[in-house]
Amino acid sequence: MEIYGYNWCRWKLVLVAVGVLCTGGFLLLLLYWMPEWRVRATCKRTTLKDCEVVLLRTTDEFRIWFCAKIRIVLSRGDNPLQNPQSIEDKVSNGHSGHLFESPAEENRNDLNKYSPVSEPIRYFTHHSVKYFWNDAVQSFDFKKGLDVSTSCSSIHNEHSTGLTKEVHDYRKVFYGVNEIAVKVPSIFKLLIKEVLNPFYIFQLFSVILWVTDEYYYYALAIVIMSVISIVSSLYTIRKQYIMLHDMVAAHSIVRVSVSRANQGIEEILSTDLVPGDIMVIPSNGTVMPCDAVLVSGTCIVNESMLTGESVPVTKTNLPNPAEDPKAMGDEIYSPEVHKRHTLFCGTNVIQTRFYTGERVKAIVVRTGFSTSKGQLVRSILYPKPTDFKLYRDAYMFLLFLVVVAGVGFLYTVVNSILNEVPAHIIIIESLDIITITVPPALPAAMTAGIVYAQRRLKKIGIFCISPQRINICGQLNLVCFDKTGTLTEDGLDLWGIQRVENARFLFPEERACNESLVKSQFVACMATCHSLTKIEGVLSGDPLDLKMFEAIGWILEEATEEETALHNRIMPTVVRPPKQLLPESKPATNQEMELFELSAGYEIGIVRQFPFSSALQRMCVVARVLGEKRMDAFMKGAPEVIASLCKQETVPEDFETTLEDYTKQGFRVIALAHRKLESKLSWHKVQNINRDAIESNMDFMGLIIMQNKLKQETPAVLEDLHKANIRTVMVTGDNMLTAISVARDCGMILPQDKVIIAEALPPKDGQVARINWHYADTLTKCTNSSPAINSQDIPIKLVHESLEDLQLTKYHFAMNGKSFAVILEHFQDLVPKLVLHGTVFARMAPDQKTQLVEALQNVDYYVGMCGDGANDCGALKKAHGGISLSELEASVASPFTSRAPSISCVPNLIREGRAALITSFCVFKFMALYSIIQYFSVSLLYSILSNLGDFQFLFIDLAIILVVVFTMSLNPAWKELVAQRPPSGLISGQLLCSVLSQIITCFGFQTVGFIWVKQQPWYEPWSTQSDACNLSTATNTSSSQHENETLHDEHNIKNYENTTVFFISSFQYLIVAIVFSKGKPFRQPCYKNGTSLLIIYNSSWTLFTSDNFVLQLVCVPYQWRITILIIIIINAIVSILVENILLDMILWKVVFSRDKQGEYRLTIPQPPQEPLDRWRGCFLSSLFGCRKKIPKAKYMHLAQELLVDPEWPPKPRTTTEAKALTQENGSYSVITVT
């Protein structure tokens, strides 16, 4: 955000006031629309330190301007996180911290009234965030809470005592009320904002002009339409505000207990919370009103509002580095890094667990709009503008219409002066031509197609909160998919286990639930190493943990609150096997008598949990078997991580090959480990020990193999997308080889395609960053051979067998999140090349998914993202079309939400997007032709000092244009996706040629009719005595005389030219509506749109049977009506032939032919062309001036470059190194490892 300081300038204000009066208020409107002009027209530039007004500009591609007034608050310091000076001294008059809402200049005169202890602090508010003046950086900055630059030790040592009332009041001056306030604007405010829209101002100008010209009926019709439009718009906007307000307001204000320094517990409203307050979490749970970090106790939280995953999450207290001598130094607290210890605003605390006498406490770190929920609401309240070529081109096209209107304006003025027309009529008619050229109904017409598409999407279970995105979805040429829950089934099935004994793998076992294993450490690990809990008697938790626990059939029991209160420590969760699994008790010898072997008493208590961390890729528990003196540590997680934390002598030698064999077959593999803890570790010591002290020197126990089945519809949907030349990419948090296997199974990677694994290593020990390239073996080869494949042999095998035909085979890159992060940092030049062919991105963190979407958008892909809502929120919001498969509140972050958790919604959305986009093009072209046709009609009539009548305008605009526009948008989407994509902008060769050809055709036939009628033998300048009908028939004389006995026509509406032009132009509107209502391949054909055909038929019938008196038409001979009909028929034939034959079949294929968008293909060498064919192609290209051009899309241009690059793709067993000691980030060199 760029920021500039300004002060009010009196002489500029006076000048602006004069200008507003002289322009009748138009200058005020212009300054209202343009904040930059408003500030610069009324203020003078000054330093930020002394300014009264700030001008802000965003630094993104939109460069939007905002302005804000500086306000002043009195405070006893400028840093809210430091104690203010003289905190114990009371301010005598009680005005300390008073917040003024008047501008800065007014406040300056009042500062001397207040206590000298207080000093003025300057601030402004922008998008619900306050920015305070910071002397240190000489700029404005927002006040951060405890989530930035606060160490974990200081949270425990400095902030754990609570705030005094005085410090609390001091901080509240800066942080304000802890509330995510979504104010619902009053109807009056919304009305003023809506009415001051440039479109409605233009309509007001048009209505005033028409009333002046005595076009009362038409003006009244436009006023009624505008009122209906404004009312519906106000209703929609207000309804959205109310919905958002209700969603945010639910549970936003609650009573909370806070711990005050040396003052015990105090009950306050949640709106009074500030960072540093210690909130006491009630045992029966609550909805969090702020972001807070747990410092004591444990909470079970439902975070579905943030993650979209309604799985209860266990939150533990933040470890205190001071209490653990083995801690790795003091760490800076971050809500993202320490999310397992952070309670986020809006999440629901279900249960708390605590020590007797020690409450569950959390320190408030962020409040209001700074919280995670507040940031989500801000992104909804102040969305980033939609940047789409269609909308940019629409403004350009309107500008073109304005230029055309300017030409018509000058033509009208010159023609009227030459014909000595009175001045007031010249002004009215010349301004009228502008209102004709720029159609007032254009915005309403453009949104019709989107509204209908939104309704059709709703019928198939896809809900949309951002309708403008529907058009953009018609351009999607790449879709990213999450794996688990999206491509594959949400749940995992236990395929089997493979235990380890004496550092050797045993044979795989299908069931872990049997008598022989019931007391083994392997099953004990499965029974205890999880984060399951009982909520209202139902076992809840992570789906993987649930499947694992259900597979052994054990029982979980949790201590009640009463049991916990009776003891001086937290009661453990207990797990035990069912009685039928335990062997029957036998008389045992004294040597065999051990307490834990008694069948009636075999139970395991979970003493301490170290929750699963995605950063560590593991979880750990400390447990004790009933009767045992020593405790056990059990650990589970990613096999590679678990193996690295185990004694090497316990890890089988064939561990890597066995793991690779399972992952290549698409299994999800989890490793287990165990360790007996020292007897000196007591209960209380375990509660305070660091997890690093537990998670080391473990014994490797074996693998759990989980099967994640593909959803039934996945292969078919991906095949449809591939046929439509839409790239598919997998972005997952799972193992890379598993992801590659799933990609092959679902058809994302074809059997003959090569997979290149990019393994990037960061700089270490003086070595530069490097990328090692490995070629992955195909699944078909590995399943037919021995499972123990040496991975180093694969690249050599591929080199000899298939490297020579690599250019004829598609290749894919695969990498994990760590490699992706290294490549982004050290190999920026390689990023476009890798994302061009990157198909599998594994072990990706949520922010890395967002970075990948950005990288794909940087090479001009239109990116769709489909995820189940969990950890995909950032990517769903960033993508051009984000589709959430979760119906929870997290779907608020996604433009689209599917009711059914199936990826079949993706092709449906793209089909509807394409149909809506083509509809927008059709409607825009039709509205442009409508205004141009009417422009020509009026221009021709102006040449004889005539015009269209009031009722003629009314009939055209209401009976024809509006009805046709709203019915031609009813064509549903085509039933299947095709490889061709619709154009992304209006300013393209095909569309411009289409519009231009129809303009010429319509103008030509109107001119023919206008000139030809004057050549007729019965033609004469029309007067009230004229009766051309009697020249051809002697009947109806009396009726003709009755029609001619009318009042004097002062506007010269009734004449033969007017009647002829009106008939021809009215049918031209219907002709271009049919011509532009194209069907296949994006929409159903127009003959299936019965409503539209009925409307066109009724309009045609009405025209031929219209009342001459009402429409101010004159009677023309029957033969001339037949002639007009022939002209109309020929016009229709020419328009249809030009559009469908000349443009679509000839020019489009020859002149505007281009590579299929959305797909890059490796060119296969073609046989030499015959000289005649080559000469013919050159001739056509030269004739139409369409030499081969460089593609506009960056990814297509890059694909062409890589085809002729001999060094790409990288060869097997090579390494790419970043160049050391270079200033340019991303420079690299390639070396070959021998």
Side-chain angles (χ1 to χ4, degrees), residues 936 940 1002-1013 1061 1064 1068:
F936 286 147
L940 288 170
C1002 292
F1003 179 62
F1005 281 99
Q1006 271 198 52
T1007 308
V1008 166
F1010 182 77
I1011 295 171
W1012 199 359
V1013 72
V1061 168
I1064 294 175
Q1068 283 179 337

Side-chain angles (χ1 to χ4, degrees), residues 925 989-999 1076 1139 1143:
K925 287 159 63 178
Q990 186 194 23
L991 266 73
L992 290 179
C993 279
S994 172
V995 170
L996 196 61
S997 61
Q998 296 301 326
I999 287 174
F1076 288 155
E1139 182 72 17
L1143 286 178

Side-chain angles (χ1 to χ4, degrees), residues 650-919:
T650 65
V651 181
E653 291 181 2
D654 59 344
F655 164 74
E656 289 184 3
T657 53
T658 304
L659 175 62
E660 188 177 349
D661 186 33
Y662 281 126
T663 53
K664 280 182 176 178
Q665 295 177 60
F667 291 115
R668 174 99 178 256
V669 184
I670 298 153
L672 306 184
H674 163 260
R675 163 189 169 194
K676 277 281 185 187
L677 297 179
E678 298 81 3
S679 55
K680 64 180 180 180
L681 275 178
S682 65
W683 185 289
H684 287 288
K685 283 184 180 177
V686 166
Q687 300 303 325
N688 298 315
I689 197 169
N690 188 283
R691 73 185 293 169
D692 292 336
I694 300 288
E695 297 172 339
S696 59
N697 292 319
M698 309 285 280
D699 293 333
F700 190 82
M701 291 201 300
L703 305 173
I704 296 176
I705 300 101
M706 311 290 285
Q707 192 173 21
N708 196 194
K709 296 177 182 175
L710 277 178
K711 287 184 177 179
Q712 190 174 359
E713 67 276 5
T714 295
V717 170
L718 294 184
E719 187 181 1
D720 288 345
L721 293 175
H722 290 160
K723 285 180 181 176
N725 285 340
I726 296 171
R727 265 189 71 193
T728 53
V729 172
M730 184 189 296
V731 191
T732 177
D734 207 347
N735 176 281
M736 183 160 60
L737 291 174
T738 303
I740 292 173
S741 171
V742 171
R744 287 196 182 278
D745 289 345
C746 66
M748 198 175 279
I749 299 175
L750 299 178
Q752 68 272 20
D753 293 352
K754 301 292 180 285
V755 179
I756 305 169
I757 297 174
E759 181 191 4
L761 303 172
K764 188 178 180 182
D765 299 331
Q767 294 184 340
V768 295
R770 61 176 62 203
I771 305 174
N772 297 322
W773 307 99
H774 307 290
Y775 278 44
D777 193 11
T778 58
L779 180 59
T780 52
K781 289 183 181 178
C782 83
T783 50
N784 294 334
S785 59
S786 168
I789 299 173
N790 187 350
S791 59
Q792 293 301 317
D793 293 337
I794 296 172
I796 300 171
K797 190 176 180 183
L798 288 178
V799 167
H800 293 305
E801 285 188 4
S802 55
L803 192 63
E804 63 275 4
D805 66 339
L806 186 61
Q807 291 303 317
L808 303 180
T809 308
K810 204 170 173 183
Y811 58 92
H812 306 261
F813 287 110
M815 68 194 76
N816 58 26
K818 290 179 181 177
S819 296
F820 183 70
V822 173
I823 291 167
L824 276 184
E825 185 177 354
H826 300 283
F827 299 89
Q828 287 186 0
D829 294 351
L830 274 180
V831 172
K833 295 182 180 181
L834 289 172
V835 298
L836 185 68
H837 290 272
T839 302
V840 175
F841 296 85
R843 298 285 190 217
M844 296 286 277
D847 58 327
Q848 290 178 326
K849 292 182 180 182
T850 309
Q851 290 169 351
L852 175 63
V853 170
E854 287 180 358
L856 290 164
Q857 289 173 336
N858 288 340
V859 290
D860 294 343
Y861 276 114
Y862 284 95
V863 183
M865 173 73 197
C866 183
D868 58 0
N871 301 324
D872 297 323
C873 287
L876 287 170
K877 281 164 63 177
K878 186 67 184 175
H880 291 107
I883 315 158
S884 170
L885 302 185
S886 165
E887 281 195 86
L888 299 163
E889 283 180 290
S891 61
V892 173
S894 175
F896 301 95
T897 304
S898 173
R899 185 191 298 154
S902 163
I903 65 167
S904 57
C905 63
V906 175
N908 288 336
L909 178 62
I910 296 174
R911 283 192 305 106
E912 289 295 347
R914 289 181 173 185
L917 186 58
I918 288 298
T919 300

